[in-house]
Amino acid sequence: MTDNKLYAKLRYYNRKNYLMLFLCTVLSVMLITSYALIYLSPTVQNVLPAGGDSRKQAVMIFAVAIVGCAIFSTYASSLFLKYKSREIGILMALGEQKGQLKKMLFSEIMLVAAAACVMGLILSYPLSYGIWRIFQLLIVDTREMGYQAKYAGLFFGVGFSALLVLCIFLLAVRFINRTNVMDIIYEQRKSEPVRDVGRWSGIAGIILLVLGFVLGYLVPMVVLDLFHFYLPSVWNAVYLISAVGIYQMMTFLVVHSKRGKHPRKYYRNLISTSMMRFLGRQTVRNMCVIILLTGGALFAAFYLPVTIMGVKENVRNNPVDYLFTYQSGQIKFRQSEIEELAKEHQVNLTDYQELPSLNLQVDGYDWVYQKSGKVDMVYHDVIGTNAFFNAEDLSKLLKKTITVKPGEFMQIANVQSAGSGKSSITRLTDPVTGEQSPVKYAGVVEFGGRFLNTPEGIETCYVLSPEDFARYGSHLKGTDRNVTVAFGVEHWEETYGFAKDLKDEIIRRYPGETVNDIMDRSIELAPDNPELTRSWAYYPLFKPLQSQDYMKNMAVFFMLFVYIAVICFTSVGIIAYTRGVTIAISQRHVFVDLRRLGADNRYIDRCMKNQLRRIFIYPFLTGSIAALGFIMMILYANDGRISVAEGKATGINLIIMAGLGLYLFLVYSGTCKKFRAIIGES
């Protein structure tokens, strides 16, 4: 028999191992490339604000998915080499030249890996398009949600494929360069035992996990606030402390066992715990990868409830049903026009009011970032323009007395504590005469809505005394003045048609084809352009639109984070299943010996479940708690509290965690079934 025929028979006999390596590589390349196609497409890039938190979160979670899939693929290749070791060792023992075996092994691995990468790249297009279309059909379908795939995403997939092939090739080189034939022969049965560790290891792991998150997220904020120093990006490496903590925790949970106060439980689980120790390092590494992907998936999924509940809470707390502001030099609306449109929709208006406001120039500090990391606070007499209302007009709108003395101003804020005692404004500048007047900060006026469509937390509206308002307003005209129209309606939830038509008419009346957004970028001025909702300061703020159109306007954000969660959830299930099957294959002879020694199926089943539960339950709980704790830390750091909306979102996040737990339970059940089949349990 020729060598080629012999190798062909061996490949056929071990075809399951080749298929496992092929499918795992295809899956990794397909998931990562399909996500890159979506993330780097114009549809997403035009929506995600440059430097914004959403873009940073998307990149961070995507990095987690890349690391997880890369580890997953290299783990699959190491399993392939482990199964391949016996036949390679026997061929070497029979006199086969290492050079010939190396050539054969390299050609096989490179062929399988290359074919898998090509297949993954090809399937990434239909996968990304299919998931995108499903999302459109089930949730929202707008012109902004059009599928666009560019070559940049494919190039990213090619780079990821090259990285995988390189990793697999290096593993193969390391494997075949061993000189001891017996080591290669028994590679399949080689264990990586871990010695028992003390209770201190688990405690230290928890401390390191929390410490990494605190140092990575909170310390840069504190340093910037107290010392005006921006920590370099290399500081993000402190998050690795959390990774070390996770490894310590998993090692403790896998191998730690003491007789303690429950000796019966200790002896009952002694065999299963000892079996776990023999494969301890491999198992702990896999558990850490599962934690990484679980945390990334849940962190991405948690973004959605937090965002949606925040919008709903803002709508609920807003005392004004309909509000829009426009520059008086741009358009003009009469009350009779709005009432006529409302009559067509059978809507009754209440508490109609028009509030004038003035655009005055303010002073402040500009943060200048130096290459050294130092942040200089540079003062400017004029740093921007903000809107100022008359205290008497605002008192009528909010139905409460607002008192502001001449020479003072108050800040309009969503939350009573926001900005309290803090304001960098010390003088106002008349945009016409250039005259500057000193002003004193007098506190906060709480308003549950917004007068301008600025991002939450960026307050740009203030209140002046009637005397100061009259003094500035006596000569300001055109775009230096604003008009805010505010009114209520009966049963605002049922007035969507009226809100949409009024919004479209407002946008159509603005001159020109484009307007500048809050970042001074040009965007299309069209009624059906959802980008106006996020970026245009004068976009109408109507409760029906905010309540019902939010999913449409944020569709790309939701799509992106849902897709990341799907990638991570899929990888978690496959890795956990693969690890469970690997343990069954590696320890099959142990279960056979136990049965010969008199162990019944009930005892063997308990040993099996004791091991599998550690692989599934511990990583799930650790990753879930870490993700939930991290996002709650972010929410608390934003404004020093957990709002009612954020509390409700946390409840929804717990339901999402339960859903992932159910998904892993189904994977666990399938793994148990496969485990029993491998060890020959009747």
Side-chain angles (χ1 to χ4, degrees):
M1 179 180 291
T2 63
D3 288 346
N4 289 335
K5 290 184 177 180
L6 176 61
Y7 297 154
K9 284 186 174 293
L10 290 174
R11 283 193 293 270
Y12 178 78
Y13 179 77
N14 296 312
R15 60 188 181 276
K16 291 184 178 179
N17 299 333
Y18 288 90
L19 182 61
M20 179 194 68
L21 176 62
F22 179 81
L23 292 179
C24 290
T25 306
V26 167
L27 181 66
S28 295
V29 174
M30 182 175 61
L31 291 175
I32 296 301
T33 307
S34 60
Y35 177 84
L37 288 170
I38 291 177
Y39 178 73
L40 298 176
S41 68
T43 301
V44 174
Q45 292 299 308
N46 291 336
V47 170
L48 292 178
D53 290 340
S54 298
R55 186 183 289 264
K56 292 178 182 178
Q57 291 176 16
V59 172
M60 181 180 68
I61 301 172
F62 185 38
V64 170
I66 292 174
V67 172
C69 287
I71 294 175
F72 169 54
S73 296
T74 53
Y75 170 67
S77 61
S78 66
L79 287 180
F80 173 82
L81 293 173
K82 183 182 288 287
Y83 297 142
K84 194 77 173 174
S85 62
R86 183 175 178 83
E87 65 180 61
I88 294 291
I90 292 175
L91 290 173
M92 290 177 64
L94 293 176
E96 190 71 50
Q97 295 297 318
K98 181 180 288 189
Q100 179 65 23
L101 292 175
K102 182 184 295 186
K103 181 180 178 181
M104 181 267 295
L105 179 64
F106 287 174
S107 61
E108 287 183 347
I109 288 182
M110 296 304 291
L111 180 62
V112 172
C117 289
V118 172
M119 181 63 70
L121 292 172
I122 294 173
L123 293 178
S124 63
Y125 272 98
L127 177 64
S128 61
Y129 178 77
I131 293 180
W132 190 286
R133 287 297 299 163
I134 290 174
F135 190 85
Q136 284 182 296
L137 293 174
L138 295 180
I139 300 180
V140 63
D141 188 5
T142 66
R143 69 168 189 167
E144 187 187 38
M145 281 294 293
Y147 178 80
Q148 301 181 58
K150 295 296 182 180
Y151 290 114
L154 184 61
F155 292 152
F156 190 96
V158 171
F160 179 75
S161 300
L163 175 64
L164 284 187
V165 172
L166 177 62
C167 292
I168 295 173
F169 179 77
L170 292 177
L171 285 175
V173 171
R174 179 170 172 265
F175 168 78
I176 200 64
N177 282 340
R178 294 175 180 173
T179 55
N180 192 327
V181 175
M182 298 307 296
D183 284 346
I184 297 179
I185 291 177
Y186 288 105
E187 173 68 17
Q188 186 174 353
R189 292 193 175 188
K190 184 179 179 181
S191 301
E192 293 183 323
V194 177
R195 295 181 179 179
D196 192 8
V197 295
R199 183 175 298 177
W200 63 268
S201 180
I203 298 174
I206 296 175
I207 295 174
L208 291 175
L209 173 62
V210 176
L211 183 64
F213 285 154
V214 172
L215 291 177
Y217 187 79
L218 294 182
V219 168
M221 299 171 57
V222 174
V223 170
L224 182 62
D225 186 50
L226 296 181
F227 304 105
H228 297 164
F229 187 83
Y230 187 81
L231 293 177
S233 57
V234 70
W235 178 259
N236 291 325
V238 299
Y239 281 112
L240 295 176
I241 296 176
S242 295
V244 175
I246 290 174
Y247 188 86
Q248 287 284 95
M249 291 171 57
M250 292 304 103
T251 302
F252 171 79
L253 292 173
V254 167
V255 304
H256 180 73
S257 178
K258 277 192 175 183
R259 181 176 176 180
K261 298 180 181 179
H262 305 283
R264 183 177 179 183
K265 181 179 179 181
Y266 168 77
Y267 287 114
R268 186 176 62 183
N269 298 323
L270 181 61
I271 292 180
S272 60
T273 302
S274 300
M275 293 168 70
M276 289 294 288
R277 288 176 181 171
F278 278 107
L279 300 174
R281 292 183 182 177
Q282 298 173 5
T283 302
V284 169
R285 285 197 294 266
N286 279 265
M287 292 169 71
C288 290
V289 174
I290 294 174
I291 292 172
L292 186 70
L293 293 173
T294 300
L298 288 175
F299 187 77
F302 290 167
Y303 175 85
L304 308 182
V306 170
T307 306
I308 295 174
M309 295 308 298
V311 171
K312 289 186 175 182
E313 190 68 15
N314 288 339
V315 171
R316 187 180 67 85
N317 293 334
N318 192 346
V320 181
D321 298 335
Y322 281 74
L323 184 148
F324 67 96
T325 300
Y326 61 89
Q327 293 177 299
S328 59
Q330 295 289 323
I331 63 174
K332 183 175 180 60
F333 259 94
R334 295 189 299 272
Q335 180 178 354
S336 58
E337 295 178 282
I338 299 176
E339 290 177 343
E340 183 178 351
L341 182 61
K343 188 176 180 180
E344 294 178 4
H345 289 272
Q346 298 180 348
V347 174
N348 296 321
L349 274 59
T350 61
D351 300 326
Y352 183 93
Q353 185 177 349
E354 293 186 3
L355 292 81
S357 60
L358 307 176
N359 291 326
L360 301 178
Q361 296 173 345
V362 299
D363 65 337
Y365 289 90
D366 185 22
W367 290 21
V368 179
Y369 293 85
Q370 305 292 343
K371 291 183 179 180
S372 62
K374 185 73 170 61
V375 181
D376 295 327
M377 305 291 289
V378 180
Y379 175 78
H380 296 279
D381 286 345
V382 175
I383 197 172
T385 301
N386 290 337
F388 288 81
F389 288 85
N390 188 336
E392 291 182 349
D393 295 334
L394 200 59
S395 298
K396 294 178 182 178
L397 177 68
L398 302 183
K399 296 180 175 59
K400 62 181 180 180
T401 302
I402 300 173
T403 304
V404 182
K405 298 178 181 179
E408 296 182 345
F409 75 98
M410 298 184 73
Q411 182 180 5
I412 302 175
N414 197 308
V415 183
Q416 181 68 40
S417 59
S420 180
K422 299 179 181 178
S423 179
S424 61
I425 299 176
T426 60
R427 65 178 63 187
L428 302 180
T429 300
D430 190 311
V432 175
T433 65
E435 179 184 356
Q436 294 185 335
S437 303
V439 288
K440 182 180 179 182
Y441 177 70
V444 173
V445 175
E446 184 176 358
F447 175 51
R450 288 178 294 168
F451 288 99
L452 294 173
N453 186 41
T454 54
E456 187 176 358
I458 300 179
E459 309 299 341
T460 60
C461 295
Y462 300 87
V463 188
L464 291 176
S465 67
E467 295 83 358
D468 287 341
F469 189 88
R471 177 167 59 88
Y472 284 110
S474 62
H475 58 277
L476 293 183
K477 299 179 181 179
T479 56
D480 291 329
R481 300 180 66 98
N482 298 326
V483 176
T484 296
V485 177
F487 57 89
V489 296
E490 297 177 0
H491 309 293
W492 66 264
E493 300 91 345
E494 303 173 3
T495 61
Y496 179 82
F498 167 64
K500 184 179 183 305
D501 287 349
L502 180 58
K503 179 262 297 182
D504 293 349
E505 182 62 24
I506 292 171
I507 295 175
R508 278 193 291 264
R509 291 197 181 190
Y510 268 85
E513 297 180 354
T514 62
V515 291
N516 290 334
D517 66 359
I518 57 178
M519 300 297 293
D520 204 27
R521 296 172 303 186
S522 179
I523 54 177
E524 181 186 3
L525 187 61
D528 61 344
N529 183 7
E531 191 172 356
L532 294 172
T533 311
R534 295 183 297 270
S535 306
W536 189 34
Y538 293 100
Y539 188 84
L541 301 172
F542 300 160
K543 278 188 177 181
L545 298 183
Q546 292 175 301
S547 178
Q548 299 186 39
D549 282 358
Y550 187 75
M551 284 295 292
K552 294 181 180 179
N553 298 327
M554 300 295 291
V556 171
F557 287 95
F558 294 155
M559 173 67 197
L560 197 61
F561 284 92
V562 167
Y563 199 82
I564 294 174
V566 169
I567 290 177
C568 294
F569 284 153
T570 303
S571 300
V572 164
I574 295 175
I575 292 175
Y577 176 82
T578 304
R579 185 57 194 164
V581 172
T582 303
I583 290 177
I585 295 174
S586 301
Q587 299 183 346
R588 182 178 181 276
H589 62 286
V590 178
F591 286 100
V592 172
D593 292 340
L594 286 174
R595 188 174 287 110
R596 290 173 178 172
L597 291 173
D600 57 10
N601 286 340
R602 182 181 178 184
Y603 181 80
I604 291 176
D605 211 52
R606 185 167 64 242
C607 289
M608 173 197 72
K609 290 182 177 179
N610 190 295
Q611 296 183 68
L612 292 183
R613 277 197 293 263
R614 300 188 188 195
I615 298 174
F616 283 86
I617 294 178
Y618 294 157
F620 164 68
L621 291 178
T622 304
S624 300
I625 295 173
L628 185 63
F630 187 58
I631 198 166
M632 292 193 71
M633 180 180 68
I634 293 175
L635 295 176
Y636 184 82
N638 286 337
D639 54 12
R641 69 192 183 104
I642 299 296
S643 66
V644 175
E646 291 165 349
K648 294 179 180 178
T650 301
I652 298 176
N653 290 337
L654 292 174
I655 296 176
I656 294 176
M657 289 172 55
L660 176 59
L662 177 61
Y663 161 72
L664 287 179
F665 176 77
L666 296 176
V667 177
Y668 165 78
S669 300
T671 307
C672 288
K673 183 178 180 180
K674 183 66 175 179
F675 200 112
R676 295 187 184 99
I678 292 174
I679 65 176
E681 182 179 325
S682 58

